[in-house]
Amino acid sequence: MEFFQRFAIPHPSPAIYASMVAIALVSIGIVVGLTYFKKWGYLWREWLTTVDHKKIGIMYLLSALLMLFRGGADAIMMRAQLATPEAKLLDAQHYNEIFTTHGVVMILFMAMPFIFAFMNLIVPLQIGARDVAFPRLNALSFWLFFVGAMLFNISFVIGGSPDAGWTSYFPLAGNDFSTSVGTNYYMLAIQISGIGSLMTGINFCTTILKMRAPGMTLMKMPMFTWSAFIANVIVVFAFPVLTVALIMGTADRLFGANFFTTSNGGMDMLWANFFWVWGHPEVYILILPAFGLYSEIISTFSGRNLYGYKSMVWSMILISLLSFLVWTHHFFTMGQGALTNSIFSITTMAIAVPTGVKIFNWLFTMWKGKIRFTTPMLYSVGFIPLFTIGGVTGVMLAMSAADYQYHNTMFLVAHFHNTIIPGVVFAMLAGLTYYWPKFFGFMLNEKIGKTTFWFIAVGFVLAFFPMYITGLDGQARRMYTYSESTGFGPLNMVSFFGGALMAIAFLLIVYNIWYSFKNSPRDIGSDPWDARSLEWATHTPVPEYNFARLPQISSSQAFWDSKKNGHVLFKGEIEDIHMPNNSGVPFVMSCIFFVAGFSFVFALWVPAVIALIGVFVCMTLRSFEQDHGYHIHAKEVKETEAKYGEVLNNEDRSRATSRV
């Protein structure tokens, strides 16, 4: 029994027991359903072993939506706890656990897979490629992310959730203060997922640099591809820092090392520096692809080319460089001295300049445009004022002297969410609506979509704007309760009501998907929005090979020019197309990583060593494997193309559909 006690929850509650039952029932239901409908073979062939960037993108998308609801549930519980003074819904320990898991899930297991979903779905199509540079590595990247997310999420039913905050500062995250295995989950799960993210960064940098269609120079790439490229460059430079920090933190907790201790030569501030050297560039890993999505959407629904293309590119490059020069503004109040604070205060304010350039570029794109207020455009237009407010409050926080008043208050919480929700969540939902017909063959209902937007926008304002006021009045962040005499109660109740509206909006997203699946027409053509970039030049649904003939690029708006100016986009004869084989190795290898991570969490050294050996065996087998892929013969490609008709004919039909 002593062996099994280590897996017990140290702070159980009825909610956790209910979660255990729910997880068991859902798992049984999935197994029974797959068995009853005889879908095990289909699941293995089409999804678990796929290397197709489109299917991998869809799996990222579904995972992100799942984690959105997981993290959203934590947020609602926190807002409910703080809605009234001295509430008893959560005790201090459970609040700390929910606070920690909310931050990790939303940043690393919701926002990151959302942007990777769009990168997988869109980038190869935008550059005229048939897949990414390393398809198997792409599959391994997804499965490492997925098993890392699952490892983190089982913590609240096996062993206990991490409780040291999403930043997991030492010494709070050390064994003396975090005595359960929760922080072990944090270290190992993020490590496994982070390895997958680093692989994605390398893969997409290579893909964009080496696999662009003939004629597509760097300055002819669509803006989303540019944003994805710069974000992945940041991934390549930032994620190794996190990897090293997590290895050191794991060594402290499991092997008694003293990297981040306050004694024996350790330095707890070293963790804070490592974390934010990764953590602040991470914000731009999320926001830059969102900027790319907004650029594509605003250009499409304004009926104009993106204003200031070159300035948009250079502003993103400047943002990426400055993102590595601002990390210590996260601990202005931790005693690093006036000179250091002054330097990083200046760099932090400087990063607002290229961001402001982009805001003006979007406004000038819309200026005198024929704007269509579709659901994606509503999110894009709503983003601009809300994100600008978040940016202005960021400049306030960048003033290091004033930051002593703001830093550990709800003002900072409001600022962060004021940038990340309009900047990332709005963009992801706009992109979800915009690209849904391309990959699922039907459009989401516009009326429900617009209703969802207003619920989210109004709910967001009500949820977070009151925090600016309570923060300036002294309400500290990370506190699970407050007294009635503080006067924070009414505004916190408004915040809870706003959070409830956002929760309703997320339920409307699910309803919209279900309703549209049942009722939306399927004959929408391949370009229902009358879009401008190359991903809309292929068929719907997108064939396995993406393009029967590689496009010939002559401008940054090649597809638009082919529709409006008669440019010939596809030339030459259809030939045999080389494609990569599916492989089960990435999935199997990731499952072994899961076993290794779980074993390290609980210091089960024998299975941990065996699992690590299994990882190296998979790598070795891949090194000696002779797999040259396969060819789709020209005759088969022509037969597939004949089912769709010529691309231009499809475009004519789709434009007619969009007008209706």
Side-chain angles (χ1 to χ4, degrees):
M1 286 301 296
E2 184 177 347
F3 174 81
F4 292 102
Q5 285 177 354
R6 71 173 71 186
F7 303 108
I9 302 296
H11 306 284
S13 71
I16 290 176
Y17 290 134
S19 299
M20 291 179 179
V21 173
I23 290 172
L25 291 176
V26 169
S27 300
I28 293 170
I30 291 172
V31 171
V32 170
L34 289 171
T35 304
Y36 179 80
F37 292 105
K38 300 179 181 179
K39 291 296 183 180
W40 286 106
Y42 168 81
L43 181 66
W44 176 258
R45 290 189 308 272
E46 299 296 327
W47 296 98
L48 300 184
T49 63
T50 187
V51 297
D52 185 340
H53 70 94
K54 299 178 289 296
K55 290 182 178 179
I56 291 171
I58 290 171
M59 289 192 291
Y60 269 122
L61 190 64
L62 295 175
S63 301
L65 287 171
L66 179 65
M67 290 298 103
L68 178 63
F69 285 92
R70 166 71 174 88
D74 289 340
I76 287 296
M77 284 190 282
M78 284 192 291
R79 296 311 328 148
Q81 168 63 22
L82 294 175
T84 56
E86 300 177 5
K88 304 296 183 182
L89 177 67
L90 302 171
D91 60 27
Q93 176 62 30
H94 286 146
Y95 186 88
N96 287 342
E97 293 177 1
I98 288 170
F99 168 84
T100 302
T101 57
H102 169 73
V104 174
V105 166
M106 285 303 209
I107 295 295
L108 290 167
F109 300 136
M110 186 281 289
M112 286 292 286
F114 239 134
I115 68 165
F116 286 158
F118 289 116
M119 288 179 190
N120 272 278
L121 290 169
I122 302 165
V123 167
L125 298 177
Q126 281 199 336
I127 65 173
R130 294 206 166 99
D131 210 314
V132 297
F134 309 112
R136 281 202 187 184
L137 190 68
N138 196 28
L140 180 61
S141 298
F142 168 75
W143 288 114
L144 285 177
F145 148 75
F146 186 78
V147 301
M150 293 303 102
L151 181 64
F152 185 85
N153 277 280
I154 66 168
S155 63
F156 75 104
V157 294
I158 302 176
S161 294
D163 57 3
W166 88 274
T167 56
S168 203
Y169 282 152
F170 283 82
L172 187 62
N175 289 324
D176 291 339
F177 294 98
S178 294
T179 56
S180 75
V181 298
T183 302
N184 294 354
Y185 273 114
Y186 178 101
M187 297 292 168
L188 274 302
I190 296 177
Q191 181 75 286
I192 292 170
S193 181
I195 293 171
S197 298
L198 180 58
M199 290 176 178
T200 297
I202 295 169
N203 203 348
F204 275 90
C205 285
T206 308
T207 300
I208 294 168
L209 288 175
K210 306 298 289 186
M211 297 184 68
R212 299 190 306 277
M216 183 178 282
T217 62
L218 289 176
M219 282 300 173
K220 290 179 183 176
M221 292 195 309
M223 195 52 60
F224 178 76
T225 297
W226 257 116
S227 69
F229 174 65
I230 296 171
N232 280 295
V233 170
I234 299 175
V235 167
V236 170
F237 281 96
F239 266 83
V241 179
L242 179 66
T243 299
V244 171
L246 291 169
I247 290 173
M248 294 165 71
T250 303
D252 270 18
R253 289 188 57 85
L254 294 181
F255 305 114
N258 291 283
F259 293 111
F260 305 127
T261 59
T262 54
S263 60
N264 298 321
M267 184 187 299
D268 55 335
M269 279 300 296
L270 182 61
W271 169 268
N273 278 275
F274 275 156
F275 183 88
W276 287 114
V277 166
W278 162 81
H280 203 86
E282 164 68 12
V283 173
Y284 293 98
I285 292 169
L286 302 178
I287 206 73
L288 288 176
F291 287 171
L293 284 172
Y294 285 132
S295 298
E296 302 289 350
I297 291 167
I298 289 173
S299 177
T300 293
F301 295 113
S302 297
R304 298 188 64 194
N305 286 354
L306 188 66
Y307 181 89
Y309 177 94
K310 290 184 179 180
S311 64
M312 292 285 274
V313 171
W314 284 108
S315 66
M316 286 194 293
I317 293 172
L318 186 56
I319 287 171
S320 69
L321 295 174
L322 289 172
S323 72
F324 286 94
L325 303 176
V326 298
W327 80 90
T328 69
H329 73 217
H330 290 277
F331 37 91
F332 277 153
T333 62
M334 295 186 187
Q336 57 200 352
L339 178 61
T340 301
N341 280 359
S342 298
I343 292 171
F344 284 92
S345 180
I346 292 168
T347 59
T348 302
M349 286 187 274
I351 208 168
V353 175
T355 306
V357 168
K358 303 179 80 62
I359 295 290
F360 281 106
N361 283 350
W362 291 317
L363 291 174
F364 283 128
T365 301
M366 289 186 282
W367 179 254
K368 294 186 178 179
K370 295 180 180 179
I371 298 175
R372 292 177 285 156
F373 284 104
T374 61
T375 300
M377 191 62 171
L378 282 178
Y379 282 110
S380 303
V381 172
F383 144 80
I384 292 176
L386 293 175
F387 183 81
T388 301
I389 293 170
V392 170
T393 56
V395 174
M396 293 172 64
L397 287 158
M399 295 183 287
S400 55
D403 191 62
Y404 277 82
Q405 173 67 30
Y406 305 137
H407 188 71
N408 278 312
T409 70
M410 296 301 284
F411 186 94
L412 179 58
V413 176
H415 154 73
F416 178 76
H417 288 85
N418 207 160
T419 55
I420 214 72
I421 292 179
V424 178
V425 178
F426 276 30
M428 298 304 107
L429 297 178
L432 179 73
T433 309
Y434 184 59
Y435 284 109
W436 188 274
K438 188 79 225 171
F439 297 100
F440 295 97
F442 62 94
M443 299 182 71
L444 295 177
N445 183 272
E446 277 287 284
K447 185 175 181 180
I448 301 174
K450 291 177 180 178
T451 303
T452 303
F453 163 76
W454 286 112
F455 267 91
I456 289 180
V458 174
F460 165 77
V461 170
L462 292 176
F464 294 102
F465 278 38
M467 295 181 192
Y468 285 121
I469 301 171
T470 61
L472 291 174
D473 284 344
Q475 184 180 4
R477 59 178 176 153
R478 303 192 182 105
M479 299 296 288
Y480 85 103
T481 191
Y482 55 90
S483 67
E484 187 173 359
S485 61
T486 60
F488 300 146
L491 286 176
N492 276 284
M493 179 58 74
V494 173
S495 289
F496 171 68
F497 180 71
L501 289 180
M502 295 181 74
I504 293 171
F506 293 133
L507 293 176
L508 283 173
I509 293 171
V510 176
Y511 174 70
N512 195 358
I513 293 172
W514 176 83
Y515 178 87
S516 302
F517 176 77
K518 300 285 286 185
N519 298 292
S520 291
R522 267 47 178 181
D523 186 19
I524 60 172
S526 57
D527 180 23
W529 301 114
D530 195 19
R532 309 175 78 84
S533 46
L534 197 58
E535 68 270 26
W536 301 97
T538 188
H539 306 301
T540 300
V542 182
E544 180 183 5
Y545 48 79
N546 292 349
F547 298 95
R549 293 163 292 180
L550 293 181
Q552 308 294 312
I553 306 303
S554 57
S555 71
S556 62
Q557 300 274 341
F559 179 49
W560 184 257
D561 288 338
S562 73
K563 293 193 295 183
K564 302 299 182 181
N565 301 321
H567 290 193
V568 179
L569 193 56
F570 299 102
K571 301 177 182 178
E573 295 296 322
I574 293 176
E575 300 175 349
D576 290 356
I577 298 174
H578 179 262
M579 298 296 294
N581 284 320
N582 284 359
S583 174
V585 174
F587 175 73
V588 172
M589 189 173 175
S590 299
C591 291
I592 298 172
F593 261 105
F594 180 90
V595 173
F598 186 84
S599 300
F600 271 105
V601 167
F602 290 96
L604 305 173
W605 302 121
V606 173
V609 170
I610 293 173
L612 289 178
I613 292 172
V615 169
F616 284 106
V617 167
C618 289
M619 295 168 66
T620 303
L621 290 174
R622 174 58 179 154
S623 299
F624 289 97
E625 184 180 5
Q626 297 293 321
D627 183 357
H628 302 293
Y630 69 100
H631 285 85
I632 303 175
H633 296 294
K635 180 181 178 182
E636 185 179 348
V637 175
K638 291 177 181 177
E639 291 174 352
T640 302
E641 292 295 297
K643 295 177 183 177
Y644 290 104
E646 286 297 320
V647 173
L648 290 179
N649 290 337
N650 269 354
E651 301 311 329
D652 293 338
R653 291 199 305 272
S654 64
R655 285 198 293 276
T657 304
S658 67
R659 295 190 192 100
V660 174

